[in-house]
Amino acid sequence: MKLFVDTARLADIEDALKRGFVRGVTTNPSLFAKEPKGNFNEHIGKIVELIKQYQPDAHLSVEVFSKDPQEILRQAETFQETFKHPQLSIKVPIGWDELEVIRKLSRKGFSVNCTCNMSVSQALMAAAAGASFVSLFWGRISDGGTKKNFAQQKNELIKKGAMKEEDFDPAYVVPAVRSLLDSSYPDTQIIVGSIRNGTDVIAAGLAGAHIVTVPPKFFPDMILHFKTDEVVGQFLKDFENWLK
Ligand code: E4P
């Protein structure tokens, strides 16, 4: 299981890359919208420069910002020509029309990270269409089953037999996708995003994610432990006393 950092914030990307524990960067239009307004291409270029500086073989996913198939194809070509990063993946949201785009891009040699997947069938179809990565949204999958404002849509899908209750549990969806990909599309990897706390990271990994992309705000939770602080303090104090 690999860790990616899920942000467009340059300082957080650098903090993670220089510590060597992340193997990639994922961005999306909303993550960009959190950054100071600026030039999109220049911002991605700065991310690529950080990758070159610290982890030259690190993955970079850049999401298109259109639902029009022709525009998606154009943006993908532009990203590839502009950013020239060998490990660049084009993030294309899952959708009926987007499947044809995924096929076309993968046939042309693009690495496609099909994103916004919430169900087993979405991820399976994306992999079958040629996606190199399928991004499953752990937090939002769960939201679909728990948030009251989605109750009617959820119940309609269950009533017509399109989904079952467990399809709204990411701890069911991720292993199911992993099992199907392992048997039919072994070259496609699962990226789990939409992480809501540090425990989701390990849960997603144990569920079968090849990669978990983590918002940098959870890294302190993942690295800190009060018993570690205690024992390191004790070791240093004991040795200091011995040296006296
Ligand atoms: C992956 O890169 C996704 O775009 C991201 O994790 C989505 O997170 P969210 O569901 O919190 O928006």
Side-chain angles (χ1 to χ4, degrees):
M1 169 194 162
K2 293 180 182 175
L3 294 173
F4 285 6
V5 60
D6 197 22
T7 185
R9 184 153 302 159
L10 297 173
D12 289 337
I13 291 170
E14 182 168 20
D15 277 349
L17 286 172
K18 71 182 178 184
R19 287 168 172 81
F21 66 92
V22 297
R23 293 290 182 275
V25 182
T26 52
T27 63
N28 67 42
S30 293
L31 290 173
F32 263 100
K34 292 176 181 176
E35 299 311 303
K37 285 190 186 304
N39 179 290
F40 175 78
N41 287 353
E42 284 178 15
H43 195 120
I44 295 288
K46 288 174 182 172
I47 296 175
V48 171
E49 287 311 307
L50 287 171
I51 290 174
K52 283 179 181 173
Q53 181 179 352
Y54 295 106
Q55 299 259 357
D57 60 347
H59 167 105
L60 173 60
S61 272
V62 181
E63 189 158 346
V64 295
F65 37 89
S66 173
K67 279 189 67 64
D68 172 66
Q70 289 309 312
E71 177 57 16
I72 292 174
L73 289 167
R74 190 195 68 76
Q75 288 181 14
E77 295 279 1
T78 303
F79 289 176
Q80 193 93 318
E81 286 159 20
T82 307
F83 306 131
K84 295 184 177 54
H85 179 53
Q87 304 302 327
L88 177 71
S89 283
I90 310 298
K91 282 178 93 174
V92 178
I94 185 66
W96 179 246
D97 294 333
E98 287 81 351
L99 287 171
E100 181 178 3
V101 174
I102 293 167
R103 180 186 66 82
K104 286 179 178 175
L105 287 174
S106 60
R107 293 279 175 89
K108 292 174 78 171
F110 284 81
S111 169
V112 177
N113 174 357
C114 179
T115 190
C116 304
N117 290 285
M118 309 292 169
S119 71
V120 179
S121 53
Q122 284 177 324
L124 177 65
M125 293 168 84
S132 302
F133 300 91
V134 289
S135 288
L136 286 161
F137 283 30
W138 190 274
R140 290 182 192 254
I141 290 169
S142 180
D143 290 350
T146 56
K147 301 284 187 195
K148 290 194 174 81
N149 52 317
F150 297 118
Q152 184 181 345
Q153 289 160 285
K154 169 191 170 186
N155 293 334
E156 283 170 3
L157 284 170
I158 291 174
K159 190 174 177 184
K160 73 176 185 177
M163 300 189 90
K164 302 175 291 185
E165 193 65 44
E166 52 263 46
D167 283 311
F168 297 92
D169 176 2
Y172 164 80
V173 171
V174 174
V177 172
R178 180 65 189 262
S179 171
L180 293 172
L181 294 192
D182 283 352
S183 57
S184 304
Y185 306 101
D187 294 334
T188 300
Q189 294 188 65
I190 297 170
I191 299 177
V192 168
S194 194
I195 294 297
R196 300 284 170 79
N197 55 57
T199 55
D200 284 351
V201 178
I202 303 308
L206 293 174
H210 296 90
I211 298 155
V212 179
T213 191
V214 184
K217 66 182 176 183
F218 297 127
F219 289 146
D221 298 343
M222 294 172 66
I223 195 67
L224 298 176
H225 196 296
F226 56 85
K227 289 297 286 182
T228 300
D229 295 342
E230 176 203 43
V231 70
V232 170
Q234 176 205 316
F235 287 168
L236 293 176
K237 185 174 173 219
D238 290 348
F239 194 73
E240 191 181 311
N241 290 337
W242 181 75
L243 288 175
K244 284 177 181 170

